[in-house]
Amino acid sequence: MSSDQHHHEESFIQKYIFSVDHKTIGLQYGITSLLFLLFGFGLMMVMRWQLAYPETPVPIVGWLLGETGILLPEIYNSLGAMHGTIMIFLGVVPLAVGAFGNYMVPLQIGAPDMAFPRLNAASYWSYFIGGVIMLSSFFMPEGAARSGWTSYPPLSIFESGQTIWLIGMVFLITSSLLGSMNIIVTIVQLRAPGLSWWRLPLFVWTQFVTSFLLVLAFPPLEAAAILQLMDRVAHTSFFLPSGLVYAGATVDVAGSGSPLLWQHLFWFLAHPEVYVLILPAMGIVGEVLANNTRKPLWGYSSMVYASVFLGFMSFIVWAHHMFLTGMGTAMSAFFQTTTMIISIPSVVILTSFFISLWGGRIRFNTPMLFALSFLPMFGIGGLTGLPLGIGASDIHLHDTYYVIGHFHYVVAPGTIFALFAGIYYWFPKITGRKMSEALGKLHFWPSLIFMNGIFMPMFIQGLAGVSRRMYDGGEIYAHAQDVLQWNEFMSISAFLLGAAQVPFIINILISIFNGEKADRNPWQATTIEWSAPSPPVPHLNFEGDVEVYRGPYEYSVPDAETDFLPQTEK
Amino acid sequence: MQIPYTIEERPETGLNNSKLGIWVFLASEVMLFGGLFSAYVFLRLAAPEGDFAYWGSKLNVPLATLNTLVLISSSVTVIMSWASLKLKDFEKYKLYMGLTLLCATIFLVIKYFEYTSKFHHGYYPSSSNFMAIYFTLTGLHGLHIIGGMIVMTYFWLPAGNKLWHTDPEHFTNRIEIAGLYWHFVDLVWIFLFPILYLL
Ligand code: HEM
Ligand SMILES: [Cu+2]
């Protein structure tokens, strides 16, 4: 796979653009995905303006929306669909798996690189092309997709912008497949001598399970995307029933297809995708908690078993998104049961994290604050999911803002906070400098407050019956009148949340050049990546051979001289 | 820098990296075609009585049978080409790999005639759900054939097979991997043939 010509000078392009070093590729993933997260967040701020101040010109970016500067309904739909798509497929997954997985997995298992360096680069560039295609759709005459990130037919077959969305998705899916194959092979094959499975850090385990989910769940979505593309381009009717009426006229297609087929194929991916969004986050939280409680993780092996079990179960719960489609009570009963079962491993993991705090000598640094707040935030997200997994209560809650509140608690103050924790925690390894603690706290506290300011009222609105994806935020509904006043509060929280990211951006930019210098192990951590220099050696990672002698979290071992015993020390 | 276990096997797993990689890749391919097969089943169950059988009878069974035989032969020749490398007989390798590529080409040519005769009779993907899934499944399978051909042509031509002269073991491994992929593509056809042409 690799070259023997190691000691020659690399050109700028080889080194930074078409690099095959997993660290450079990880950084490329990281920077690109952070920019996409910012962009997806920006789309949402425009939507929140409309919801708070309906049909008034949007400040700052209004000129992009046409002469009046008012957000039009079609564009609102586009922004919503693209917010969801960008946040998931171009933001969180590439950051959690592409960036953290790529950078940290080889380091944490003591390997010189990923198993297939060139495939790794191909996966990044496929992601990049997919991203460019998605972005360019805003400038196409048809506009960006507007059928939601779920792209339900029949609407998605007729609405404009969808074809380019599907093509973009094919690239993103390909990228994920290549990347996750690579991670699986790397973990199985390239563990350093002595690093048995039960000595792997929790983060590596979660990346392992996540990669299996990506490898096995994405292809059915690819299949579904191909079928939808056929429906749009070759006028087949996979998803179109006979006698369908659209825009006042009967649609002229062969018919006898089924919109439910799409929903089954889509959710067969999209439920495991939820665990793709959350598992790496749990892995990061595990690393940070162990390090800052100075204690071994409580229930490490149960958490590993729970993650693997979660992975298996996530393939047989998908139709809990479809209770209201009339698929039948037997189906509903089955998926309701599996959904209740899958909540158990999540509870096991969360409980183990909480117990891990017990009796620890906790250091409240920025990564730890983010990791700690992950616990209650993910807890709220998870618990509010239970009523959605039970058919009877879902009838009331389905497609309301309650759902939006529920899954955002999981992915925004949950996953995003864990990813922030990871950035603060591993920044010294990547750059050789620490991030500022003061700015970090200035980032953390407002973020925590405003996240809750946005998402908590969504439960109130949703319980009152306000539907999601509404251009007017529910204004025309009588039953929504009592809860509409929350819209402005939520939107202002969203804008302030945006402002709270400024210290983070400044912190990164300043710390790269002027941060406090960090040695190879600034957090006194045990896992293997901390025995490499900061930053690790290009194309090699470690200076010599890596040998592993102990488990991942040997903190505060009685009778030891220090309160931590690195995995690589005898 | 050399990535460990690129060529030699890791003792505990008994696999080198590419071998494990191709198995994981094929698992994802199983899910891809599995998704489409389940779509086929779903649509068939939902279709009016006899609809799939009616449209299925428009397909050309003798040509497809011939194509099945052609693909099975190519699976045999691709193994022979790998075995020749194991026996260090490079000329035989070239011969068998060439035969494999020939079979693949014959398959595509026959497929081309099948497609054009369908269009000629006015049968398009939009004609019925059966035709839709027929064209989608065989089209995707055809793309897999073309993908395999590109890779194998590269290993057949001097540009790709010069690795044999510097690192024969590595080259033999690559042919083995390509062969595994090729068997998978054949296997997909073995499923497609009965469900589309015979049922
Ligand atoms: C923290 C900043 C975020 C805010 C303020 C926010 C806000 C919103 C709001 C208000 C909606 C509902 C729009 C509507 O129904 O009309 C929405 C939808 C959505 N959001 Fe977010 N979100 C944020 C972060 C995220 C993240 C991190 C993800 C994913 C990882 C995400 C994924 C989605 C998805 C999938 C939808 C549904 C889109 C659709 O209806 O098709 N969001 N978001
Ligand atoms: Cu789900």
Side-chain angles (χ1 to χ4, degrees), chain A residues 48 130 148 155 161 173 176 187 256 265 268 284 291 303 338 381 423 430 483 485 522 525:
Chain A
R48 287 285 359 160
L155 203 59
I173 293 171
S176 275
I187 295 176
S256 83
L265 290 171
F268 188 85
I284 295 174
N291 178 251
M303 283 195 273
T338 53
I423 293 175
I430 296 169
V483 292
Q485 77 275 13

Side-chain angles (χ1 to χ4, degrees), chain A residues 84 170 178 297 299 361 367 401 429 467 498:
Chain A
V170 170
L178 297 180
L297 280 180
R361 286 176 289 117
Y401 260 95
K429 177 58 36 191
S467 300

Side-chain angles (χ1 to χ4, degrees), chain B residues 11-51:
Chain B
E12 306 130 79
T13 59
L15 297 168
N16 62 35
N17 296 346
S18 327
K19 191 76 137 310
L20 180 60
I22 193 76
W23 283 118
V24 176
F25 174 72
L26 291 183
S28 87
E29 290 279 278
V30 168
M31 295 304 287
L32 175 65
F33 282 99
L36 290 169
F37 277 122
S38 5
Y40 167 89
V41 173
F42 191 103
L43 292 170
R44 192 178 174 113
L45 292 178
E49 184 74 33
D51 185 61

